[in-house]
């Protein structure tokens, strides 16, 4: 089949544990998990900032008539406290007034707007989901400035080969939102939380979910190079191109390797392998050749090797090259390819919610 042949042609490095061997069981994969995390961070995104000693949310404003009164829109200042520093960023929280804990999205967004063209908030609320969002640049600016916003506290300099990149900073913030969710279990079902993002923030969502097992669903929309797409053999954006344009997203080791026309063996399938036994969800757009839908699909397909270790089905597919329109949602991983260009659309949101609804229904049926 095409997928197996293509993966064999690209000859991707095997996922290995600290003993140098590929895991053959779920137990061996769990034993290798921390090692694989470290490999991903030191070779691609840089050191992850540590978890704060304490977090708390200070209410800044509340709109009780939001979504025709179906939900409040509350803006908090989410504060992280460390022994030697304190810093914060705005968090916008919308929770349906259902009377019971509801599933939720942690949305890493490009703008502070609620709703937003990438966040159809009322539709999300109408389907019974909460959405907690933050603007990524309110955490760390999307440029080479490591001394603005929270970036000045999260940065460990740029001299070390594994110095923290901006994607790791934004992922750190998404994890702090999950810390907050755990403080309000009467409103949100903390076992049914998804982290979601688009483009560079789809890369961020993948890193967040790979590093933090508290997220049951990890959703990456059109994230392409250094995100959901396997880098080796990729068309469109390459490691050299992305590290030339956006070097500040990554650690210096990844930049140096990309600029030398090299290839980082710790490719994106290492990142995706950290999602099972939870649900990996990837969306592509047929006109988004810069991201390369084929390489995004191949990465989800390759995670089947890891899902099998847990006795799960992973992506249910015949392995043929994806043809638009396509939605593969019968297994424990999800992939879809829609018409159109690089965008986070209503269609994408509804496809993701449909899949999570189906997963939740299966979970409820198993518990009966």
């Amino acid at each position: 089949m095409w997928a197996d042949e293509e993966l064999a042609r690209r000859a991707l490095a095997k996922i290995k544990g600290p003993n140098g061997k590929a895991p053959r069981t779920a137990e061996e994969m769990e034993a290798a998990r921390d090692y694989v995390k470290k490999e991903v961070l030191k070779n691609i995104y840089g050191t992850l900032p540590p978890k704060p000693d304490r977090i708390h949310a200070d209410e800044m404003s509340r709109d009780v008539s939001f979504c025709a009164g179906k939900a409040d829109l509350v803006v908090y200042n989410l504060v992280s406290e460390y022994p030697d520093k304190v810093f914060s960023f705005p968090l916008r929280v919308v929770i349906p007034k259902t009377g019971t804990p509801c599933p939720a999205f942690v949305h890493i967004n490009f703008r502070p707007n609620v709703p937003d063209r990438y966040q159809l908030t009322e539709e999300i609320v109408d389907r019974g989901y909460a959405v907690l969002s933050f603007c990524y640049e309110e955490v760390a600016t999307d440029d080479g400035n490591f001394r603005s916003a929270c970036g000045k506290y999260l940065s460990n300099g740029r001299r070390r080969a594994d110095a923290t990149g901006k994607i790791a900073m934004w992922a750190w913030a998404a994890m702090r939102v999950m810390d907050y969710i755990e403080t309000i279990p009467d409103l949100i079902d903390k076992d049914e939380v998804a982290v979601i993002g688009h483009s560079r923030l789809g890369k961020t969502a993948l890193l967040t979910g790979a590093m933090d097992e508290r997220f049951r669903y990890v959703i990456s929309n059109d994230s392409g190079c250094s995100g959901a797409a396997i880098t080796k053999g990729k068309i469109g954006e390459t490691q050299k191109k992305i590290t030339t344009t956006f070097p500040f997203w990554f650690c210096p080791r990844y930049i140096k390797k990309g600029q030398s026309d090299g290839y980082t063996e710790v490719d994106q399938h290492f990142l995706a392998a950290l999602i099972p036994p939870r649900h990996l969800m990837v969306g592509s757009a047929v006109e988004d050749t810069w991201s390369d839908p084929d390489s995004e699909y191949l990465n989800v397909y390759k995670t089947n090797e890891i899902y099998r270790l847990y006795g799960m089905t992973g992506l249910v597919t015949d392995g043929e090259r994806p043809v638009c329109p396509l939605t593969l949602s019968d297994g424990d991983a999800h992939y879809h390819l829609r018409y159109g260009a690089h965008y986070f659309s209503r269609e994408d949101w509804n496809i993701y919610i449909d899949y999570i609804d189906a997963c939740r229904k299966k979970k409820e049926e198993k518990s009966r």
Side-chain angles (χ1 to χ4, degrees):
M1 292 188 291
W2 173 77
D4 291 321
E5 292 172 353
E6 182 64 15
L7 288 171
R9 183 188 71 80
R10 299 194 188 190
L12 299 174
K14 291 286 187 182
I15 306 294
K16 295 178 182 178
N19 60 1
K21 297 180 180 179
R24 295 170 297 177
T25 65
E27 292 74 18
E28 289 182 1
M29 182 60 205
E30 288 305 305
R33 186 174 293 276
D34 285 346
Y35 176 79
V36 177
K37 284 182 178 181
K38 291 175 182 176
E39 288 294 293
V40 166
L41 292 174
K42 80 176 186 180
N43 285 287
I44 305 176
Y45 305 103
T47 304
L48 194 67
K51 184 176 180 178
D53 296 338
R54 178 175 176 264
I55 67 112
H56 60 91
D58 301 330
E59 185 172 323
M60 300 170 66
S61 66
R62 181 180 293 263
D63 180 356
V64 298
S65 61
F66 189 70
C67 290
K70 292 176 286 190
D72 290 354
L73 166 58
V74 188
V75 181
Y76 293 100
N77 189 40
L78 190 60
V79 182
S80 295
E81 296 184 3
Y82 292 86
D84 58 341
K85 52 184 174 281
V86 176
F87 48 94
S88 61
F89 60 91
L91 173 66
R92 296 152 186 97
V93 178
V94 180
I95 303 176
K97 297 175 182 177
T98 61
T100 58
C102 60
F105 291 100
V106 173
H107 181 207
I108 311 161
N109 201 3
F110 284 91
R111 292 159 296 274
N113 306 335
V114 179
D116 180 70
R117 68 177 181 269
Y118 283 174
Q119 181 178 301
L120 309 172
T121 311
E122 188 169 4
E123 288 191 28
I124 297 168
V125 167
D126 285 345
R127 297 200 61 173
Y129 287 76
V131 58
L132 299 88
S133 60
F134 65 92
C135 174
Y136 78 130
E137 288 209 279
E138 291 177 335
V139 174
T141 55
D142 193 2
D143 55 28
N145 183 352
F146 283 80
R147 305 300 298 171
S148 60
C150 294
K152 63 184 177 181
Y153 301 105
L154 302 178
S155 174
N156 55 6
R158 296 295 284 169
R159 293 184 180 181
R160 285 171 31 187
D162 64 347
T164 309
K166 292 295 181 76
I167 289 174
M169 294 183 185
W170 302 326
W172 169 90
M175 295 178 201
R176 305 293 69 82
V177 178
M178 189 66 191
D179 291 342
Y180 167 70
I181 287 172
E182 290 189 320
T183 71
I184 51 170
D186 55 326
L187 298 177
I188 293 177
D189 185 347
K190 63 182 178 61
D191 296 322
E192 291 292 326
V193 179
V195 60
I196 188 168
H198 167 72
S199 192
R200 69 200 64 182
L201 304 183
K203 307 180 206 299
T204 305
L206 271 180
L207 180 61
T208 303
M211 298 296 138
D212 193 334
E213 288 84 10
R214 294 176 296 176
F215 293 97
R216 187 171 185 221
Y217 308 96
V218 182
I219 307 173
S220 182
N221 194 74
D222 296 0
S223 63
C225 185
S226 309
I230 289 173
T231 308
K232 190 174 185 180
K234 185 184 180 301
I235 65 168
E237 191 171 31
T238 63
Q239 187 174 338
K240 183 173 184 177
K241 290 175 181 176
I242 200 169
T243 55
T244 297
T245 309
F246 304 106
F248 41 87
W249 289 354
F250 310 102
C251 69
R253 178 178 285 114
Y254 192 69
I255 300 164
K256 183 178 180 180
K257 194 73 170 178
Q259 292 303 297
S260 66
D261 286 320
Y263 160 68
T264 304
E265 285 210 347
V266 180
D267 205 331
Q268 299 313 113
H269 60 297
F270 280 66
L271 184 67
L274 292 166
I275 308 303
R278 296 163 296 134
H279 300 285
L280 171 63
M281 302 165 63
V282 171
S284 302
V286 72
E287 294 176 22
D288 189 11
T289 55
W290 191 245
S291 292
D292 188 0
D294 282 355
S295 292
E296 291 176 318
Y297 166 80
L298 283 171
N299 199 7
V300 185
Y301 179 87
K302 188 164 178 59
T303 61
N304 281 1
E305 298 174 5
I306 308 299
Y307 277 107
R308 290 190 197 104
L309 301 181
Y310 292 93
M312 302 171 74
T313 56
L315 189 69
V316 176
T317 174
D318 59 10
E320 295 298 326
R321 178 181 273 110
V323 177
C324 192
L326 176 69
T327 299
L328 301 172
S329 58
D330 292 333
D332 298 301
H334 163 96
Y335 175 81
H336 75 265
L337 176 64
R338 62 161 170 79
Y339 289 113
H342 190 75
Y343 190 75
F344 199 5
S345 69
R346 174 180 278 103
E347 180 181 0
D348 293 317
W349 272 103
N350 282 319
I351 288 173
Y352 295 133
I353 293 174
D354 286 345
Y355 179 73
I356 295 175
D357 281 349
C359 289
R360 294 176 63 221
K361 183 177 180 181
K362 290 177 185 177
K363 182 181 175 183
E364 290 172 3
E365 290 172 348
K366 286 182 180 179
S367 65
R368 289 174 186 168

